[in-house]
């Protein structure tokens, strides 16, 4: 139990005085109650600690501290600095315990927060911000209640004039308790002259005391705890001392304690006699009123009652006149008080004037004394005197500053403890918020899956033969489903700001690609919508498990250098915030940037028109039509792409320009943003990554790669290749464009950029891996189609149905192993020789045919 005596500064009276008060902490309300003594039953007031701040006052002296509430500032003083620190530390800890206990309410939304703040006690024990202060037993605790209260200079100085009724109640309670403990013979005052039936009244009072004590023991609340120190004090203060006290103390200490208690009780009796006199007067008035009322009720005739009423009216008139006289006397006294105040103010001003004159005279005397001392002393002694005075002042200032520093250190420790707890709470709340966001993401992912399944069902119903009414209904449902994004974007934008940070539902991604491509065929629009929902669901589900750890690994990567770990990270995909930096590093490793080379090519393209300029202008509007940066002729990246392609055509005259280079350059521009960096990225792809003659007029190396890919397809996926051969499907019609532009316009942007990450770092082997992985990903679907036309139709858009980029990456780099580069080079050499032989034979046949036609003549 936190209780003890403190001095409290009274600030509402005419004179500010210190009064000794017994303070008791109420843990149920987080209030600090204060009484005049430890034996009082009713408090004089309370201090709400739930929103209060504590401050130890440095300038007031040792033991002073303040409790600041929104409505009032309480200035208190402990007997020592140790007692002050103990009170401050205990009040701080118990306020935290109260806040923790108060926050345990059954609301589901705040239950997690309540659990988070329950660690306060353990943290305070473990942290060394403010070491526990040893309990000063002489001033705090139940033992302090048995000691006499600190005495003021006068007997009535410690009585609260603002709470007379509380003082009367406490006095009555003290009298009743004293009577119960001493017996009737030991009573200090005699009430026999005011009691009509003393014996009955004594019995009634004893019954009330017994009932009150029994109720107090039943309640077990704050009053129960307040009674304990008071009962102990009463038992120790009267002649029948407990045996425990006699055993613990020697006779001299016992006599000293009893003498102090006698003095305390004597002062208490003096003050209580005054209060009892007031009670006697109130009792006489009440009995007189009772007798008059009884006479009025027992009067037999109306005349007697009328006479009583008249007597009462005369009394009221008499009292009214007396009241008016008292009010007039009060006014006169107030006027006298005003005059005296003005006179006192004049005297104060006069005294102040005299003090100023005296101070001026003292200064003159001191000046003359110092002057005389300087005249009498030599210059060296004068310097020593000044130095000594300066040193003394500096020492005093240093001591004062040390005291101030110690006080601020103490206050800083308290504040650090508070800040530490608030930081822990903030961290826990942030983690809870993160968990809620992830739960929201999971629910959103599940919703995307449900929408995808719903759209798939609608697509199946659209393909089925349904009656016209049902077909119209399905068509309307499909139209509504395709418009969901627009409606949801308008309705949910204000309410889902937190979820949008995890997975923004924008029409375009970070690089400007449309999340749902706008196809002209309605069936393709529905497929694109289904695919977008599946991708969104997969991204939401992998956000915490895959994407966040991967992003943390990339954040920890400092300077880039080739290694197996970096290769694994690049295969997993480069986050958006790191992709530009990594691509620049890859390109700079393989291409030596000649200074001003790009600017020279631009000047050359402006001065001289290249033969490929016409073809470049034709291909610009057809570049990445599903990206907002290239979707219109006025887009901002179109001029950059034009300059880049013209510069490359002058840089590599052997190739000049080939259809497909525009899409490679466009992707490089989107990621690298800088025009010159994108130019060198295109040079790296064409001249370093791709084999020679890949983009020549004959595209001979591109044709070789198609034959090599068919060999790998037969080896890695024999069932699928047999299925293609059965229905005479030439996969090169589909895959040729994949290899030429590295899957641009074939895969969705998220998967496409992950393919490019590994492609730029490892080379064309990545294209073979992902091409095989795409067929592996959709193998079972293709095997279920038993018509060549349907197979070709499915192969036209089946890459757009790939939604799980992580699964595709796992197939490409794990399921298709081993995939040695040496084998790829050998296959390319073999098929190139075969293709060149075929082309040579074809050229001979063509030449023979031309010669034969020439001999036949026209």
């Amino acid at each position: 139990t936190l209780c003890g005596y403190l001095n409290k500064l009274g600030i509402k009276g005419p004179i500010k005085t210190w009064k000794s008060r017994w303070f008791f902490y109420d843990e149920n309300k987080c209030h600090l109650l204060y009484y005049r003594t430890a034996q009082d039953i009713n408090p004089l007031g309370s201090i709400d600690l739930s929103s209060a701040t504590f401050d130890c006052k440095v300038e007031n002296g040792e033991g002073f501290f303040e409790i600041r509430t929104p409505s009032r500032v309480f200035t208190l003083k402990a007997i020592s600095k140790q007692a002050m620190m103990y009170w401050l530390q205990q009040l701080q800890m118990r306020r935290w315990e109260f806040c923790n206990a108060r926050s345990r309410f059954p609301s589901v939304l705040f239950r997690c927060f309540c659990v988070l703040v329950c660690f306060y006690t353990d943290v305070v024990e473990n942290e060394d911000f403010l070491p526990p202060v040893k309990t000063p037993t002489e001033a705090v605790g139940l033992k302090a209640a048995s000691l006499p209260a600190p005495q003021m200079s006068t007997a009535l100085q410690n009585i609260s004039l603002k709470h007379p009724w509380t003082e009367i109640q406490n006095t009555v309670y003290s009298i009743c308790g004293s009577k119960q403990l001493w017996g009737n013979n030991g009573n200090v005052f005699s009430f026999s002259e005011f009691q009509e039936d003393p014996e009955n009244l004594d019995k009634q009072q004893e019954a009330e005391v017994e009932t009150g004590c029994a109720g107090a023991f039943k309640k077990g609340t704050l009053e129960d705890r307040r009674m304990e120190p008071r009962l102990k004090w009463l038992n120790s203060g009267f002649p029948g001392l407990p045996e425990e006290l006699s055993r613990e103390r020697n006779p001299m200490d016992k006599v000293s304690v009893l003498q102090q208690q006698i003095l305390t009780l004597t002062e208490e009796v003096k003050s209580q006699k005054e209060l009892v006199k007031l009670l006697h007067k109130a009792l006489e008035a009440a009995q007189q009123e009772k007798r008059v009322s009884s006479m009025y009720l027992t009067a037999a005739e109306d005349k007697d009652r009328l006479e009583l009423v008249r007597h009462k009216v005369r009394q009221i008139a008499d009292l009214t006149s007396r009241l008016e006289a008292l009010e007039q006397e009060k006014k006169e006294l107030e006027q006298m008080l005003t005059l005296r105040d003005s006179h006192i103010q004049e005297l104060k001003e006069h005294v102040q004037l005299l003090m100023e004159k005296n101070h001026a005279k003292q200064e003159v005397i001191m000046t003359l004394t110092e002057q005389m001392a300087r005249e009498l002393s030599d210059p060296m002694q004068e310097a020593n005197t000044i130095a000594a005075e300066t040193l003394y002042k500096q020492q005093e200032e240093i001591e004062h500053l040390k005291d101030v520093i110690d006080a601020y250190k103490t206050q800083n420790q308290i504040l650090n403890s508070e800040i530490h707890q608030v930081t822990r709470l903030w961290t826990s709340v942030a983690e809870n918020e993160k968990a809620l966001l992830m739960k929201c993401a999971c629910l959103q992912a599940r919703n995307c899956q449900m929408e995808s399944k719903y759209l798939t069902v609608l697509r199946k119903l659209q393909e089925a033969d349904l009656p016209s009414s049902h077909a119209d209904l399905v068509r309307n449902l499909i139209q509504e489903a395709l418009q969901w994004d627009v409606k949801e974007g308008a309705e949910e934008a204000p309410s889902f700001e937190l979820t949008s940070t995890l997975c923004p539902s924008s029409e375009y991604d970070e690089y400007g690609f449309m999340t749902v491509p706008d196809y002209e065929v309605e069936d393709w629009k529905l497929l694109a919508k289904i695919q977008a929902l599946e991708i969104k669901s997969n991204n939401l589900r992998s956000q915490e498990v895959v994407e966040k750890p991967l992003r943390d690994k990339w954040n920890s990567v400092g300077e880039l250098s080739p290694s197996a770990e970096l290769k694994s990270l690049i295969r997993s995909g480069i986050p958006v915030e790191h992709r530009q930096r990594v691509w620049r590093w890859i390109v700079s490793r393989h291409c030596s940037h000649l200074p001003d080379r790009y600017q020279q090519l631009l000047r050359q393209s402006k001065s001289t028109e290249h033969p490929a300029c016409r073809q470049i202008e034709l291909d610009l509007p057809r570049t990445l039509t599903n990206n907002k940066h290239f979707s219109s002729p006025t887009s901002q990246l179109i001029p950059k792409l034009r300059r880049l392609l013209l510069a490359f055509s002058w840089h590599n005259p052997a190739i000049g320009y080939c259809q497909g280079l525009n899409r490679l350059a466009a992707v490089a521009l989107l990621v690298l943003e800088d025009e010159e960096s994108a130019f060198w990225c295109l040079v790296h792809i064409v001249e370093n990554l791709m084999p020679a003659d890949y983009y020549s007029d004959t595209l001979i190396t591109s044709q070789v790669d198609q034959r090599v890919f068919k060999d790998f397809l037969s080896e890695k996926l024999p069932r699928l290749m047999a299925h293609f051969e059965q229905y005479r499907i030439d996969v090169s019609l589909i895959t040729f464009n994949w290899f030429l532009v590295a899957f641009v316009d074939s895969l969705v942007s998220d998967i496409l950029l992950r393919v490019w990450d590994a492609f730029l770092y490892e080379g064309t082997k990545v294209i073979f891996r992902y091409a095989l992985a795409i067929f592996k990903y959709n193998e079972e679907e293709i095997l279920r189609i038993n018509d060549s036309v349907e197979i070709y139709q499915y192969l036209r858009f089946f890459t757009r149905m790939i939604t799980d980029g992580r699964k595709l990456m796992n197939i490409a780099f794990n399921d298709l192993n081993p995939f040695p580069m040496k084998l790829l080079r050998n296959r390319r050499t073999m098929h190139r020789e075969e293709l060149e032989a075929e082309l040579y034979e074809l050229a001979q046949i063509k030449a023979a045919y031309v010669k034969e036609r020439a001999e036949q003549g026209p």
Side-chain angles (χ1 to χ4, degrees):
T1 303
L2 181 60
C3 55
Y5 279 105
L6 292 172
N7 289 333
K8 175 178 172 292
L9 181 63
I11 60 174
K12 290 192 175 181
I15 302 176
K16 295 184 179 180
T17 58
W18 289 97
K19 295 185 179 181
S20 176
R21 294 288 181 257
W22 175 261
F23 284 79
F24 182 89
Y25 175 72
D26 183 358
E27 62 185 11
N28 293 329
K29 297 181 180 179
C30 194
H31 283 196
L32 190 63
L33 310 178
Y34 54 92
Y35 306 79
R36 186 165 62 88
T37 64
Q39 291 74 38
D40 290 348
I41 188 64
N42 290 324
L44 300 177
S46 64
I47 305 174
D48 186 4
L49 301 179
S50 60
S51 59
T53 58
F54 309 117
D55 186 14
C56 51
K57 304 299 289 182
V58 180
E59 61 275 6
N60 291 343
E62 183 178 0
F64 289 86
F65 65 100
E66 290 183 352
I67 301 178
R68 298 176 181 270
T69 64
S71 58
R72 184 179 173 186
V73 177
F74 295 86
T75 304
L76 307 177
K77 178 183 178 183
I79 62 173
S80 64
K81 182 178 180 180
Q82 180 187 4
M84 177 195 73
M85 292 302 302
Y86 178 82
W87 276 98
L88 286 174
Q89 189 180 67
Q90 291 296 322
L91 291 175
Q92 183 188 31
M93 292 174 59
R94 291 169 189 261
R95 178 174 65 181
W96 272 100
E97 292 175 357
F98 172 77
C99 294
N100 296 343
R102 185 178 60 179
S103 61
R104 295 189 181 95
F105 43 91
S107 174
V108 176
L109 294 177
F110 290 91
R111 189 173 300 162
C112 296
F113 181 78
C114 298
V115 173
L116 296 175
V117 298
C118 290
F119 63 83
Y120 171 77
T121 305
D122 296 335
V123 172
V124 171
E125 292 177 357
N126 297 330
E127 299 298 338
D128 197 20
F129 283 99
L130 190 62
V133 180
K134 184 178 179 181
T135 305
T137 55
E138 72 279 0
V140 180
L142 296 179
K143 290 185 179 181
S146 62
L147 300 176
Q151 297 299 316
M152 296 291 109
S153 58
T154 61
L156 295 178
Q157 182 177 352
N158 206 34
I159 296 177
S160 176
L161 300 178
K162 295 189 296 181
H163 308 88
W165 179 245
T166 303
E167 290 284 0
I168 293 172
Q169 287 180 331
N170 291 332
T171 302
V172 173
Y173 179 84
S174 178
I175 292 173
C176 293
S178 300
K179 183 175 182 180
Q180 184 181 8
L181 293 172
W182 285 352
N184 294 331
N185 294 331
N187 201 347
V188 180
F189 306 109
S190 176
F191 293 91
S192 59
E193 60 183 321
F194 301 105
Q195 297 172 351
E196 297 178 0
D197 191 0
E199 296 180 358
N200 295 336
L201 184 58
D202 290 342
K203 293 180 181 179
Q204 183 178 1
Q205 289 178 351
E206 292 175 0
E208 289 176 357
V209 172
E210 293 175 358
T211 305
C213 294
F217 281 104
K218 289 180 181 179
K219 290 181 181 178
T221 58
L222 179 64
E223 185 176 353
D224 183 31
R225 291 189 295 274
R226 292 202 304 265
M227 286 290 291
E228 291 179 4
R230 298 188 196 106
L231 292 177
K232 290 182 181 179
W233 186 87
L234 289 171
N235 291 334
S236 63
F238 293 108
L241 286 172
E243 294 181 0
E244 296 179 0
L245 182 61
S246 64
R247 287 199 304 269
E248 293 176 0
R249 300 180 178 176
N250 55 37
M252 294 301 296
D253 293 338
K254 179 178 177 182
V255 170
S256 176
V257 170
L258 290 175
Q259 289 177 352
Q260 292 178 0
Q261 291 176 350
I262 290 171
L263 294 175
T264 303
L265 289 175
T266 303
E267 297 296 332
E268 185 78 17
V269 166
K270 289 180 182 179
S271 61
Q272 289 180 356
K273 281 181 179 180
E274 299 294 333
L275 297 175
V276 171
K277 290 179 182 179
L278 296 176
L279 291 174
H280 289 171
K281 292 180 181 180
L283 183 60
E284 288 178 356
Q287 289 177 350
Q288 181 67 25
E289 184 71 20
K290 180 180 178 182
R291 285 195 293 268
V292 173
S293 300
S294 300
M295 292 173 60
Y296 178 79
L297 294 174
T298 56
E301 296 181 0
D302 293 339
K303 292 182 178 180
D304 296 335
R305 293 184 178 181
L306 183 60
E307 184 63 27
L308 290 174
V309 172
R310 289 175 179 173
H311 177 68
K312 198 68 176 178
V313 170
R314 287 194 295 271
Q315 286 183 346
I316 292 172
D318 185 24
L319 291 174
T320 303
S321 61
R322 291 175 60 187
L323 179 62
E324 291 177 353
L326 290 174
E327 288 181 352
Q328 183 65 28
E329 184 179 358
K330 176 185 175 183
K331 291 181 180 179
E332 293 176 357
L333 291 175
E334 287 179 350
Q335 292 177 357
M336 291 176 62
L337 180 61
T338 304
L339 293 175
R340 288 185 179 182
D341 288 341
S342 61
H343 182 62
I344 290 171
Q345 185 64 29
E346 292 176 357
L347 292 176
K348 285 182 179 180
E349 292 177 356
H350 184 64
V351 169
Q352 182 66 25
L353 182 61
L354 293 177
M355 289 178 65
E356 290 177 356
K357 290 181 179 180
N358 187 24
H359 181 67
K361 290 179 180 180
Q362 288 180 355
E363 288 182 352
V364 172
I365 292 172
M366 290 297 297
T367 304
L368 294 175
T369 304
E370 291 176 358
Q371 185 178 359
M372 185 177 64
R374 284 197 301 270
E375 292 176 355
L376 295 177
S377 62
D378 55 355
M380 183 63 67
Q381 184 177 0
E382 180 181 356
N384 292 335
T385 304
I386 296 175
E389 292 179 356
T390 305
L391 180 62
Y392 179 72
K393 291 181 180 179
Q394 289 179 350
Q395 288 179 349
E396 287 185 347
E397 186 177 358
I398 289 173
E399 292 297 328
H400 177 69
L401 291 176
K402 286 182 179 179
D403 295 339
V404 173
I405 289 173
D406 291 338
Y408 279 120
K409 283 182 179 179
T410 304
Q411 192 169 6
N412 188 32
Q413 288 176 339
I414 298 174
L415 293 176
N416 283 341
S417 177
E418 294 281 347
I419 292 171
H420 184 70
Q421 306 310 322
V422 172
T423 304
R424 287 289 185 88
L425 291 178
W426 177 83
T427 304
S428 302
V429 170
E431 292 177 356
N432 186 29
E433 181 185 7
K434 178 182 176 182
L436 292 175
L437 286 176
M438 295 313 303
K439 183 178 180 181
C440 180
C442 291
L443 293 175
Q444 192 175 0
R446 189 178 301 174
N447 181 50
C448 291
Q449 285 187 339
M450 295 300 295
E451 290 184 17
S452 175
K453 291 178 181 178
Y454 172 71
L455 294 177
T456 304
V457 171
L458 290 179
R459 182 170 177 269
K460 296 294 184 182
L461 291 175
Q462 186 183 25
E463 294 176 354
D465 295 332
L466 297 175
S468 59
S469 59
H470 293 175
D472 293 339
L473 177 60
V474 170
R475 193 178 300 106
N476 292 334
L477 291 175
I478 291 174
Q479 292 296 331
E480 291 178 2
L482 293 176
Q483 296 297 323
W484 278 347
D485 280 345
V486 179
K487 295 179 180 178
E488 291 177 355
E491 295 175 356
E492 298 181 2
S495 59
F496 284 94
E497 294 179 358
L498 291 176
T499 309
S500 63
T501 60
L502 281 174
C503 187
S505 57
S506 174
E507 184 180 359
Y508 299 95
D509 64 6
E510 298 87 350
Y511 295 103
F513 289 98
M514 296 179 64
T515 54
V516 181
D518 188 14
Y519 296 114
E520 296 180 359
V521 182
E522 184 175 347
D523 190 30
W524 283 29
K525 290 183 180 180
L526 189 58
L527 288 174
K529 175 71 175 179
I530 294 172
Q531 185 199 28
L533 290 171
E534 290 291 338
I535 292 174
K536 184 177 181 181
S537 175
N538 290 329
N539 290 339
L540 287 170
R541 289 183 177 276
S542 63
Q543 184 70 31
E544 184 69 17
V545 180
V546 179
E547 298 299 333
K548 186 178 182 301
L550 179 63
R551 186 171 283 104
D552 293 340
K553 289 182 181 179
W554 274 107
N555 290 336
S556 63
V557 174
E559 185 177 354
L560 298 173
S561 60
S563 63
E565 182 181 1
L566 179 62
K567 181 179 179 180
S568 177
L569 281 176
I570 291 176
R571 284 183 173 185
S572 300
I574 305 173
V576 176
E577 58 269 23
H578 296 282
R579 179 167 284 132
Q580 185 179 112
R581 177 174 68 98
V582 177
W583 281 25
R584 289 178 187 272
W585 173 77
I586 293 173
V587 173
S588 64
R589 286 182 62 238
H590 298 89
C591 291
S592 57
H593 291 208
L594 301 176
D596 296 333
R597 172 62 175 168
Y598 183 67
Q599 299 299 329
Q600 292 175 3
L601 295 173
L602 289 181
R603 288 194 293 269
Q604 185 177 359
S605 62
K606 288 181 180 179
S607 61
T608 307
E609 182 176 354
H610 195 277
C613 182
R614 180 182 180 85
Q615 186 61 44
I616 291 173
E617 291 295 332
L618 291 175
D619 288 345
L620 286 178
R622 295 179 290 192
T623 303
L624 301 184
T625 56
N626 62 337
N627 190 287
K628 65 179 180 180
H629 300 298
F630 298 97
S631 57
S632 67
T634 59
S635 298
Q636 56 182 354
L637 293 185
I638 291 292
K640 292 184 179 182
L641 181 60
R642 178 186 293 109
R643 291 193 297 269
L644 193 157
L645 293 175
L646 287 173
F648 181 81
S649 64
W650 285 107
H651 171 76
N652 193 334
I655 296 175
Y657 174 76
C658 176
Q659 287 185 340
L661 295 180
N662 58 325
R663 283 176 277 186
L664 298 176
V667 173
L669 267 177
L670 288 175
V671 175
L672 298 175
E673 296 179 359
D674 179 56
E675 190 176 326
E676 185 173 357
S677 298
F679 166 78
W680 289 111
C681 181
L682 180 62
V683 172
H684 172 58
I685 294 172
V686 175
E687 298 181 0
N688 298 329
L689 298 181
M690 294 298 190
D693 299 331
Y694 214 87
Y695 296 99
S696 63
D697 295 338
T698 58
L699 300 177
I700 184 171
T701 311
S702 300
Q703 299 180 49
V704 169
D705 276 357
Q706 295 306 306
R707 297 191 180 191
V708 174
F709 176 71
K710 288 181 182 179
D711 289 348
F712 285 138
L713 192 62
S714 299
E715 295 172 5
K716 302 292 184 180
L717 303 173
R719 287 197 307 149
L720 184 62
M721 191 62 186
H723 188 70
F724 286 152
E725 291 176 354
Q726 179 182 355
Y727 292 98
R728 298 181 179 180
I729 302 298
D730 185 6
V731 293
S732 63
L733 298 177
I734 305 298
T735 60
F736 185 83
N737 196 52
W738 295 359
F739 284 76
L740 193 66
V741 296
F743 298 104
V744 178
D745 285 339
S746 296
L747 294 174
V748 294
S749 59
D750 181 57
I751 301 175
L752 170 67
L753 292 173
R754 292 182 184 179
V755 174
W756 270 58
D757 293 338
F759 165 63
L760 290 177
Y761 187 74
E762 298 184 46
T764 54
K765 184 173 67 171
V766 174
I767 297 180
F768 282 93
R769 283 183 176 274
Y770 270 100
L772 292 171
I774 290 171
F775 282 105
K776 176 73 173 177
Y777 189 97
N778 297 277
E779 182 179 13
E780 298 301 328
E781 292 291 334
I782 298 173
L783 291 176
R784 281 196 289 267
I785 304 175
N786 298 318
D787 183 76
S788 59
V789 177
E790 292 183 5
I791 291 175
Y792 273 118
Q793 290 178 350
Y794 181 78
L795 294 179
R796 287 178 59 194
F797 65 84
F798 82 117
T799 55
R800 290 287 178 176
M801 297 304 294
I802 298 175
T803 58
D804 194 345
R806 292 292 166 188
K807 178 181 176 182
L808 184 66
M809 181 196 70
N810 187 60
I811 294 172
F813 293 108
N814 295 325
D815 296 352
L816 297 177
N817 285 334
F819 204 93
M821 190 64 187
K822 183 178 180 180
L823 177 62
L824 176 61
R825 286 195 295 266
N826 293 337
R827 293 287 177 86
R828 278 177 169 170
T829 303
M830 180 185 68
H831 284 288
R832 185 181 181 89
E833 292 175 355
E834 293 178 356
L835 184 59
E836 287 177 349
E838 291 176 3
L839 291 176
Y840 179 74
E841 184 180 355
L842 184 61
Q844 286 184 339
I845 294 173
K846 182 179 179 181
Y849 175 74
V850 172
K851 183 178 179 180
E852 182 181 354
R853 290 294 301 271
E855 290 176 353
Q856 290 179 358

